[in-house]
Amino acid sequence: MKSGWLLTCFVLTTCSAFAAEEALKPRKPCTVQSPKHLDFDLSGLSVLPKTEGQKSTKGARNESWMAIGYDSGVNYTINICAPVIEDIKDVEGVDESKWQNISAFYTSESGKTFSLGMQHSEFVFRGRKLVLHYQDGSPCGGGNSASELADGDSKNTRRKSMMISFLCDQDSFESSKPNMALSFVGASPDFCHYGFEARTPLACGGSIAPTEQAVGPGSLFGIM
Ligand SMILES: *[C@@H]1O[C@H](CO)[C@@H](O)[C@H](O)[C@H]1NC(C)=O
Ligand SMILES: *[C@@H]1O[C@H](CO)[C@@H](O)[C@H](O)[C@H]1NC(C)=O
Ligand SMILES: *[C@@H]1O[C@H](CO)[C@@H](O)[C@H](O)[C@H]1NC(C)=O
């Protein structure tokens, strides 16, 4: 009798661990679970602005991440799951009310600022690839000058977008603080879509707290 209850309880607990998790714990922004139930938390890569009066944490980044553009002639400033912390203004074709929500931008040779997309913190898995998209950036596809990168004309409704593909890299980083090497992979010929690759230990996946979820009363009651 007693062992029967224990067995039921064990089965319930393990069976409900994944099913109940979604319902009981709303997923934290910038986290995702892989199709194989591995938990990924990339929120440590969000560079946050220093709040007024707060002492700066030692070693904390004071600028967003950067990707060198090489032949594209510009460098890209990008934050992960958060708006860039740089103060940007006069963003081409983007309403002023949205400047504070831009998560990636570059400045052209002539000093114009172009958005590559708005803040977004939901990842998707393409097979085993962990991907983050930003969209609704500056207008694109209206011109053909590489340096102005297709400043949109008024009739044009297409907008720049980008994606970052995250790769697990345990070996390239010595320090334990969240770290990432971001590189520019390329842009579409009309400069409407941009691709980046990020190498970081945070993309290796791990478990946020599976044991806690498995034995917590929440997961047991969750399916009862
Ligand atoms: C950012 O931090 C670096 C050192 O980590 C420092 O040299 C630099 O002056 C800082 N920049 C700003 C704008 O605070
Ligand atoms: C891009 O960044 C690299 C490395 O910091 C720098 O040498 C280069 O001058 C930058 N290019 C532009 C266009 O800002
Ligand atoms: C834009 O940023 C503001 C302030 O940070 C925030 O309150 C708002 O929710 C953001 N909007 C979107 C669409 O993310």
Side-chain angles (χ1 to χ4, degrees):
M1 189 63 196
K2 201 173 177 192
S3 66
W5 183 85
L6 273 178
L7 182 64
T8 313
C9 179
F10 177 74
V11 169
L12 274 179
T13 308
T14 46
C15 293
S16 68
F18 292 124
E21 183 191 2
E22 213 93 30
L24 295 168
K25 288 197 167 186
R27 193 161 282 293
K28 216 174 105 188
C30 216
T31 66
V32 66
Q33 194 175 66
S34 75
K36 296 205 160 162
H37 302 300
L38 262 185
D39 283 315
F40 292 75
D41 182 354
L42 287 90
S43 59
L45 297 172
S46 303
V47 182
L48 301 173
K50 210 171 58 165
T51 41
E52 204 85 39
Q54 188 194 26
K55 266 202 287 179
S56 62
T57 322
K58 195 161 174 271
R61 290 185 68 91
N62 57 10
E63 52 191 10
S64 301
W65 303 95
M66 203 207 28
I68 297 177
Y70 299 105
D71 55 311
S72 73
V74 298
N75 292 333
Y76 303 92
T77 305
I78 297 171
N79 205 349
I80 306 298
C81 303
V84 293
I85 62 170
E86 288 73 13
D87 197 16
I88 51 172
K89 353 179 147 50
D90 301 327
V91 184
E92 293 296 310
V94 178
D95 195 77
E96 180 169 356
S97 64
K98 291 181 168 180
W99 293 349
Q100 63 182 357
N101 297 81
I102 291 171
S103 271
F105 74 94
Y106 64 86
T107 304
S108 73
E109 229 173 314
S110 60
K112 290 187 178 177
T113 302
F114 291 84
S115 165
L116 292 186
M118 307 298 291
Q119 181 199 354
H120 186 67
S121 48
E122 278 163 43
F123 294 86
V124 293
F125 272 93
R126 297 259 145 68
R128 295 177 56 195
K129 274 209 190 305
L130 178 58
V131 176
L132 179 65
H133 287 268
Y134 294 146
Q135 50 197 7
D136 207 17
S138 293
C140 65
N144 52 18
S145 141
S147 72
E148 284 308 318
L149 301 185
D151 192 0
D153 59 47
S154 53
K155 293 192 291 284
N156 176 31
T157 53
R158 297 177 67 201
R159 288 185 172 271
K160 291 178 188 287
S161 63
M162 59 169 275
M163 64 175 215
I164 309 174
S165 166
F166 290 85
L167 301 173
C168 166
D169 188 344
Q170 301 269 30
D171 305 327
S172 310
F173 305 99
E174 281 175 21
S175 111
S176 56
K177 74 176 181 209
N179 216 337
M180 174 171 73
L182 188 63
S183 46
F184 171 65
V185 178
S188 60
D190 57 4
F191 299 104
C192 281
H193 192 70
Y194 295 72
F196 297 86
E197 187 179 87
R199 295 179 171 273
T200 171
L202 278 79
C204 296
S207 221
I208 294 171
T211 49
E212 206 175 279
Q213 280 154 2
V215 298
S219 52
L220 185 56
F221 295 130
I223 74 158
M224 283 178 153

